[in-house]
Amino acid sequence: MASSSSSSEQAFFNNCLLTLYLIAPPTFISLRFLQAPYGKHHRPGWGPTMSPPLAWFLMESPTLWLTLLIFPFGHNFRNPKSLILISPFLFHYFHRSCIYPLRLHRNKTQLTGFPVTVALMAFGFNLLNSYLQARWVSHYKDYDGESDGRLFWWRFLIGLVIFFCGMWVNIWSDKVLVGLKKQGGGYKVPRGGWFELVSCPNYFGEILEWFGWAVMTWSWVGLGFFLYTCANLVPRALAHHKWYLEKFGEDYPKHRKAVIPFLY
């Protein structure tokens, strides 16, 4: 009976992982033609909206409560390596679910509404992804079967450096953008730091984070999350870049790339 239950859960996990890979291509293709209607690309026709801080909190929240709910049921739950490995994931999403919405809330300028439909789609993705990441780290990853225990630490440390470099870029960029909104007077050209290289350093930072996570976990689930992040953020960064060029014309630096410094 236990073996049957284990096989069923393994099949469910594999199907969820396959889903993560299958949704990335249509996400990339669709976002090349139709941007999610929030922020710079806000437009009517997407149904009811809600407060952006509340939307960010609710749609990102599964990454915290579902991860913490699932984690104790993994057979690696008490392994210090699993606890250390999941920490960067939780750290990022504590900021995204709690700190970032509070920063938006403190912003005194009027924010455009966040479509409930978009928030629900993001909520669904975070349910899927949180289950995969938490279940892999806490249950399916073989910490003791690695040929050389030092390999885990090398991958973890290299990935962690990449992850925190990306997180710093992401948080710094968000802070600059929120600060510009607080000044009022509509959208402005962001300047300084990473904004001199790309239009969307916040997206570049997040892509870098999840590349670091893929290195840390050294897994198909980590790679799948990184690829989906690229599929989601690269087209949006290109749309942001085009929006800046159209809005500010000659005043917008022509040497800036969209999301990858010096390349793209």
Side-chain angles (χ1 to χ4, degrees), residues 24-47:
T27 296
F28 179 82
I29 293 169
S30 62
L31 290 178
R32 291 289 282 124
F33 300 100
L34 182 66
Q35 283 303 310
Y38 65 91
K40 294 179 179 64
H41 306 284
H42 175 77
R43 57 190 180 278
W46 283 73

Side-chain angles (χ1 to χ4, degrees), residues 28 83 97 118 147 231:
F28 179 82
L83 297 172
S97 303
V118 176
S147 57

Side-chain angles (χ1 to χ4, degrees), residues 11-202:
F12 178 75
F13 178 87
N14 291 339
N15 288 334
C16 287
L17 179 57
L18 180 61
T19 300
L20 180 63
Y21 278 87
L22 289 178
I23 63 176
T27 296
F28 179 82
I29 293 169
S30 62
L31 290 178
R32 291 289 282 124
F33 300 100
L34 182 66
Q35 283 303 310
Y38 65 91
K40 294 179 179 64
H41 306 284
H42 175 77
R43 57 190 180 278
W46 283 73
T49 62
M50 61 193 302
S51 159
L54 180 61
W56 280 102
F57 171 72
L58 292 176
M59 70 187 186
E60 300 288 338
S61 66
T63 57
L64 296 179
W65 59 258
L66 185 59
T67 299
L68 296 174
L69 183 66
I70 289 173
F71 209 83
F73 293 96
H75 75 253
N76 292 318
F77 168 56
R78 298 189 183 280
N79 189 325
K81 288 181 179 178
S82 73
L83 297 172
I84 291 171
L85 184 55
I86 200 64
S87 296
F89 182 85
L90 290 172
F91 187 72
H92 168 91
Y93 278 111
F94 176 75
H95 173 267
R96 183 57 68 193
S97 303
C98 302
I99 305 301
Y100 180 66
L102 285 173
R103 186 177 292 147
L104 288 178
H105 180 69
R106 289 199 303 265
N107 181 11
K108 300 304 181 184
T109 61
Q110 184 66 35
L111 297 171
T112 56
F114 198 106
V116 173
T117 51
V118 176
L120 286 174
M121 287 188 286
F123 183 85
F125 171 79
N126 282 320
L127 284 176
L128 170 70
N129 190 53
S130 300
Y131 164 74
L132 285 169
Q133 308 304 323
R135 195 62 175 153
W136 170 261
V137 173
S138 69
H139 190 72
Y140 289 113
K141 184 170 175 60
D142 184 5
Y143 295 94
D144 300 320
E146 294 176 330
S147 57
D148 185 350
R150 288 177 298 179
L151 195 57
F152 168 84
W153 291 112
W154 276 112
R155 289 168 178 165
F156 176 76
L157 291 173
I158 292 171
L160 189 67
V161 170
I162 298 171
F163 182 92
F164 277 116
C165 285
M167 190 169 185
W168 177 81
V169 173
N170 178 259
I171 292 174
W172 175 84
S173 305
D174 281 344
K175 186 177 180 181
V176 170
L177 292 172
V178 171
L180 287 176
K181 290 179 183 177
K182 192 179 295 186
Q183 293 175 12
Y187 285 103
K188 301 178 178 65
V189 177
R191 298 190 183 276
W194 288 88
F195 282 105
E196 297 304 317
L197 299 177
V198 291
S199 294
C200 300
N202 50 335

